Amino acid sequence: MTSLTGRALRLTVCVGEDDTWHHRPVYSEIVHRAHAAGLAGASVFRGIEGFGASSRIHTSRLLSLSEDLPVAVVVVDTEERIRAFLPRLDELVREGLVTLEECEVVRYVGRAPGPDPGAAGPEGGGPR
């Protein structure tokens, strides 16, 4: 697991939910490439409404316009590792927005390996 605290860079890639790369969602391909590159982590957030350079509003409120909702992929790691990852996005992001922001990592802790803490144990407990 990567250890990360202090100064970092946040990469945000905004694309459309329907954008694909070789029949796979672009957001999924970005996450898998970030994982393969050994980056600290990546998360995908689905928007409920938005517009981009095309000025076409995409919204989940109207069924007829609920296609291709905005999706943001957020990746945080050291500046060096994020900047080294940027060329891997060039072929993927044909339409969208890619931004970088300085940030500070205050806490970055993964789950300990082992049994699921929410699973029932010998005492019959479980999530509370």
Side-chain angles (χ1 to χ4, degrees), residues 57-90:
I57 293 180
H58 304 267
T59 179
S60 63
R61 290 184 291 131
L62 301 172
L63 185 59
S64 64
L65 298 176
S66 65
E67 301 171 4
D68 202 24
L69 292 172
V71 175
V73 182
V74 178
V75 183
V76 176
D77 209 316
T78 64
E79 179 173 359
E80 179 180 311
R81 294 172 62 84
I82 292 290
R83 290 197 183 276
F85 180 70
L86 289 176
R88 297 181 188 198
L89 298 177
D90 288 342

Side-chain angles (χ1 to χ4, degrees), residues 3 5 8 10 14 17 20 25 27 38 40 48 52 56 94 98 123:
S3 176
T5 56
R10 178 177 52 237
C14 298
E17 181 179 38
T20 59
Y27 61 84
I48 58 171
R56 182 170 170 247
R94 291 184 223 123
V98 178
E123 299 83 31

